[in-house]
Amino acid sequence: MSAAQTDRRDRAASGVLWRTWAMLVKEFIQLRRDRVSLAMIVVLPVMQLLLFGYAINTTPHHMPAAVLLQEDTDLGRSVVKAMENTAFFDFIYLVKTEDEFDDLLQSGKVLFGVEIPRGFERGVRRGDQPAILVAADATDPVAASSALAALAQLAQTALAHDLNAGEPAVPPFEVRTHARYNPAASSRLNIVPGLVGAILTMTMLIFTALSVTREVERGTMESLLSMPITPVEIMLGKIIPYVMVGFVQASLIVGIGVTLFGVPILGNLFLLAGLSTLFIGANLAIGYTFSTIAQNQLQALQMSMMFFLPNILLSGFMFPFAGMPRWAQWVGECLPLTHYIRIVRAILLKGSTLHNMRYDAVGLVVLMLIAMTIAVSRFRRTLD
Amino acid sequence: MPEPVSSAAPPAAPAQAEIAIEVSGLTKSFGDRVVVRDLSMQVKRGSIYGFLGPNGSGKTTTIRMLCGLLTPDSGTGTCLGFDILTESDKIKRRVGYMTQRFSLYQDLSVRENLEFVARLYAVPHPRDAARDMIRRLGLVGREGQLAGELSGGWKQRLALGACTLPGPELLLLDEPTAGVDPKARRDFWTQIHDLAAEGLTVLVSTHYMDEAERCHEIAYIAYGNLLVHGTVEAVIAKSKLTTYTVTGPDLHHLAVALAGKPGVDMVAPFGTSLHISGRDLAALEASIAPYRNQRGLIWQHGAPSLEDVFIELMGRTPDNFQ
């Protein structure tokens, strides 16, 4: 070592630079080797931008609606047509009975139901100002409010063409709106049940995502694999404690929601508990799958984050599901949280039954089975 | 325990019950790197079999194949009479495997770790079994301590206890004494001999020559190839190595001068002495003749140590890491 070299190292200012440089070079090398972190750097902002830019819409249009036509007349159809022209409604169901009408709203298949009463045409022609009933699922007040506001203008203009009367002085009929399930349009009622799902997703994912990688990282997996225990036994043993944790969390959130925020419990709590088990199981299995893919705990956490984000944005938790484009809705249907949020909201706020929620319950079962199959098959029995 | 005899076992197998491990032609590669090549070995029941070799020589891989943690690419074998390819479940129930790295739960206490193992193996009365083991290990009073807080020697003792608790017939110990002080190592080996006396078969890998000399039989494996096996005496005899031990001043110069000379297969410094070994006695003596009478040097002709044999073997084996 030359004297000049030693000299340089002793000079404080350049020493700081050299040491910082050494650290920086090392960090870059490590970052370059960490594929998942690299992916995060690119995927996370791109995913967020695309989702916020293309998928999310806080004033949703083309929301699913049903019409109960109690008389099939020109004027009735004109009203429906005029509603469709506002671009807020898509009439995807035409029903004949009140029961069907209620089931569609109860199960969340439609957000709006329009009832054209018997004698509507005659009433209009006689100048009786008959009322059409618009029932809105107001569990999500944001989604419902702009559409309901648009209806206020409707009565004035909808039948102008049919009646050849120009702008009538008095509207020829009345629109009676009924915000079901959440008449005060309180957003808390919408958020609290959704929060049950969002929080369960986050904690369940993280708990299990770390569980297998932790064993691998600490070296305990090797001796575990050499012992007489099967992958399914390991998975069940790891998942079941967290099912209980999930129940404690869910009870806590619902309990606080009811006592502090006045969230009603209109449906059956046992039904909610049963369906919650499915949901918790699905998330645990997904977390477990990440755990078998990730090479260390950091990667497992990063994967959970990347899964959690679309869950929050596309499930209808934060933004109205009906407002999203078709492709985003399809993605949303593949997430357990989407189905669970519908279920919690429906059971707590609408008093829905299993019969109403059968579609989402089946969705949860299917997603849970898929996730568990992947988790078990991904789990390696050997170290190969 | 009566030994169920596999119907697939060849009828000519000599005294099945006397052999704990019998494998032939085991090969395993990771990517295009062959880690174990065509390995065959036989371990008698109740014996302590030492597995020696440099780092990365395939010892751990072989042990993992024996207990079903890795699937061999080719080769066949039985472990305790069960096929290592198809009956790893049965093998796992009868084998205690102690990994190279401490692999009990650091955040569980001594007692909790032992109870976990006992329950996994469906040992009746796991609490009692754990308590007995704690007493046997001399850990009474420390059963509530977290395993991660134990010292290196105690950790290793606990790990051995966890391996033996379910009453295995075979112990696979992968470098069990790495990083453990000499006293603890000595105690550990006393325990191993006690276990073998009770009828347990022990396969143990190690780097330490003094440990190798405590085994009934040893095998030397380097870069995936099993080079030599047998008792310590047999291995030394088979090497046909002659060793001269030199003491005196400036041994470094002598070592440089002799290295690579005809007949000199190995020159290795041992503290204040130098070991010079070769298989061709005549050539070796011719090469050292000019230095025999150098002033201050004391030459001694003797049998090679096990270490000489291994270092020479290692020097002869091509490294497959290039």
Side-chain angles (χ1 to χ4, degrees):
Chain A
M1 193 189 300
S2 72
Q5 250 179 327
T6 329
D7 249 24
R8 196 176 68 182
R9 286 175 200 183
D10 284 341
R11 251 179 285 135
S14 67
V16 170
L17 286 181
W18 277 109
R19 290 187 292 265
T20 310
W21 173 247
M23 205 65 200
L24 181 148
V25 169
K26 184 212 66 140
E27 285 297 320
F28 264 116
I29 294 172
Q30 288 176 323
L31 187 59
R32 210 178 53 206
R33 302 245 161 91
D34 184 355
R35 306 265 154 139
V36 180
S37 287
L38 275 185
M40 278 268 285
I41 290 171
V42 179
V43 171
L44 220 51
V46 170
M47 189 162 81
Q48 296 233 36
L49 268 175
L50 294 182
L51 291 185
F52 273 105
Y54 290 116
I56 285 156
N57 184 356
T58 46
T59 51
H61 287 70
H62 300 288
M63 286 178 281
V67 61
L68 172 62
L69 270 183
Q70 293 193 332
E71 64 162 40
D72 192 8
T73 57
D74 288 345
L75 287 193
R77 269 180 270 125
S78 289
V79 172
V80 171
K81 190 87 203 127
M83 287 181 74
E84 235 168 1
N85 283 342
T86 63
F88 281 109
F89 310 96
D90 266 353
F91 288 95
I92 54 173
Y93 290 99
L94 174 66
V95 293
K96 294 284 191 299
T97 66
E98 298 258 0
D99 281 348
E100 288 175 81
F101 184 79
D102 284 339
D103 176 61
L104 286 173
L105 275 169
Q106 197 84 0
S107 65
K109 282 184 186 152
V110 298
L111 294 177
F112 295 92
V114 177
E115 187 181 340
I116 309 286
R118 202 178 305 282
F120 176 70
E121 170 143 5
R122 206 159 53 100
V124 171
R125 302 229 182 258
R126 288 199 347 207
D128 285 351
Q129 277 195 293
I132 64 167
L133 176 76
V134 177
D137 177 347
T139 49
D140 184 353
V142 179
S145 62
S146 47
L148 289 179
L151 287 178
Q153 307 296 317
L154 195 79
Q156 280 287 345
T157 55
L159 298 180
H161 182 71
D162 293 81
L163 302 176
N164 291 320
E167 287 269 312
V170 248
F173 64 95
E174 198 188 323
V175 177
R176 206 172 287 156
T177 58
H178 178 202
R180 286 197 191 182
Y181 313 126
N182 183 3
S186 158
S187 58
R188 279 178 201 163
L189 295 196
N190 190 46
I191 292 290
V192 172
L195 211 53
V196 178
I199 288 176
L200 281 181
T201 303
M202 188 158 74
T203 46
M204 296 299 106
L205 268 183
I206 288 175
F207 276 138
T208 42
L210 294 182
S211 71
V212 176
T213 33
R214 188 167 48 220
E215 302 251 7
V216 173
E217 232 175 80
R218 295 189 184 171
T220 47
M221 186 49 90
E222 190 183 348
S223 75
L224 203 55
L225 286 174
S226 76
M227 295 198 241
I229 184 165
T230 65
V232 176
E233 290 160 355
I234 294 178
M235 183 173 85
L236 289 179
K238 278 186 173 289
I239 279 184
I240 291 169
Y242 295 115
V243 173
M244 297 175 199
V245 171
F247 266 105
V248 172
Q249 276 196 319
S251 317
L252 206 63
I253 303 167
V254 172
I256 293 176
V258 170
T259 51
L260 295 187
F261 302 113
V263 174
I265 302 178
L266 299 180
N268 185 336
L269 268 182
F270 290 103
L271 175 64
L272 182 61
L275 293 173
S276 297
T277 313
L278 292 181
F279 174 67
I280 292 170
N283 277 306
L284 290 174
I286 291 169
Y288 200 78
T289 306
F290 291 158
S291 197
T292 57
I293 298 170
Q295 276 152 10
N296 52 49
Q297 298 193 55
L298 175 66
Q299 282 190 2
L301 267 183
Q302 288 170 328
M303 285 183 192
S304 305
M305 277 310 297
M306 278 197 252
F307 181 73
F308 186 60
L309 191 73
N311 262 289
I312 291 299
L313 298 181
L314 299 182
S315 63
F317 168 62
M318 277 180 128
F319 306 103
F321 189 82
M324 302 194 303
R326 193 42 51 106
W327 64 266
Q329 294 193 2
W330 276 113
V331 175
E333 295 287 346
C334 298
L335 305 172
L337 183 59
T338 307
H339 300 285
Y340 185 67
I341 278 186
R342 288 183 198 145
I343 289 171
V344 199
R345 282 178 182 160
I347 292 179
L348 291 183
L349 306 180
K350 304 180 186 177
S352 299
T353 60
L354 181 59
H355 180 74
N356 299 137
M357 303 316 298
R358 59 193 179 275
Y359 163 73
D360 289 303
V362 169
L364 273 188
V365 171
V366 170
L367 292 175
M368 183 183 76
L369 289 180
I370 292 175
M372 284 197 164
T373 312
I374 296 175
V376 172
S377 63
R378 281 280 328 168
F379 189 90
R380 283 145 302 184
R381 294 208 65 180
T382 59
L383 299 167
D384 287 275
Chain B
M1 190 182 287
E3 188 53 37
V5 176
S6 160
S7 59
Q16 252 264 340
E18 296 306 308
I19 302 298
I21 300 173
E22 174 147 49
V23 293
S24 63
L26 281 194
T27 298
K28 178 76 188 176
S29 25
F30 295 115
D32 44 5
R33 196 159 67 78
V34 182
V35 179
V36 173
R37 194 195 310 272
D38 195 23
L39 182 132
S40 304
M41 60 188 273
Q42 207 182 52
V43 178
K44 290 196 203 77
R45 268 185 195 262
S47 70
I48 302 176
Y49 197 86
F51 222 34
L52 290 108
N55 290 327
S57 59
K59 299 191 299 285
T60 301
T61 305
T62 308
I63 291 177
R64 285 176 174 171
M65 285 194 280
L66 290 176
C67 64
L69 276 178
L70 287 174
T71 322
D73 298 336
S74 62
T76 55
T78 59
C79 192
L80 300 170
F82 299 105
D83 193 312
I84 58 165
L85 296 173
T86 55
E87 295 179 300
S88 62
D89 286 341
K90 287 180 184 154
I91 295 174
K92 283 178 184 175
R93 251 173 268 141
R94 292 166 173 80
V95 169
Y97 171 40
M98 183 168 157
T99 53
Q100 202 165 349
R101 198 171 142 196
F102 180 67
S103 62
L104 292 176
Y105 293 93
Q106 314 244 8
D107 46 356
L108 292 191
S109 71
V110 170
R111 184 170 46 78
E112 288 159 344
N113 265 305
L114 291 172
E115 284 177 7
F116 172 69
V117 174
R119 288 193 192 102
L120 247 178
Y121 283 87
V123 172
H125 312 299
R127 279 165 180 276
D128 298 340
R131 203 176 308 128
D132 286 348
M133 185 51 79
I134 287 166
R135 205 173 305 129
R136 218 178 319 156
L137 292 174
L139 276 164
V140 176
R142 293 212 204 186
E143 57 265 60
Q145 205 173 337
L146 297 186
E149 292 170 356
L150 295 174
S151 70
W154 280 109
K155 272 187 186 164
Q156 169 243 34
R157 195 178 259 233
L158 175 62
L160 181 67
C163 280
T164 51
L165 185 139
E169 297 166 47
L170 169 67
L171 281 182
L172 301 173
L173 312 175
D174 193 3
E175 291 185 22
T177 55
V180 170
D181 69 55
K183 167 81 169 63
R185 260 174 59 194
R186 188 167 287 245
D187 293 347
F188 186 81
W189 273 90
T190 309
Q191 257 179 300
I192 299 283
H193 274 273
D194 290 347
L195 290 167
E198 288 168 28
L200 233 80
T201 313
V202 182
L203 183 110
V204 53
S205 76
T206 181
H207 286 299
Y208 299 112
M209 293 305 139
D210 60 320
E211 294 189 349
E213 284 165 359
R214 289 171 146 238
C215 296
H216 298 134
E217 261 188 79
I218 53 172
Y220 188 83
I221 174 170
Y223 311 116
N225 302 293
L226 195 144
L227 298 181
V228 59
H229 64 97
T231 61
V232 174
E233 297 75 33
V235 167
I236 292 177
K238 258 186 249 175
S239 72
K240 298 202 174 70
L241 213 60
T242 304
T243 298
Y244 278 94
T245 308
V246 197
T247 48
D250 205 13
L251 290 176
H252 178 68
H253 255 104
L254 182 63
V256 173
L258 280 175
K261 284 272 168 60
V264 178
D265 293 320
M266 187 199 79
V267 180
F270 276 79
T272 57
S273 65
L274 193 65
H275 287 204
I276 300 151
S277 317
R279 271 164 296 153
D280 184 342
L281 183 59
L284 176 68
E285 292 197 324
S287 290
I288 62 173
Y291 307 95
R292 286 296 288 265
N293 298 317
Q294 200 168 315
R295 205 186 316 200
L297 292 184
I298 299 159
W299 291 78
Q300 239 176 340
H301 181 228
S305 66
L306 196 56
E307 188 154 358
D308 293 327
V309 174
F310 287 154
I311 292 175
E312 193 269 335
L313 276 173
M314 220 154 95
R316 258 197 287 158
T317 325
D319 192 326
N320 69 340
F321 280 84
Q322 289 133 13

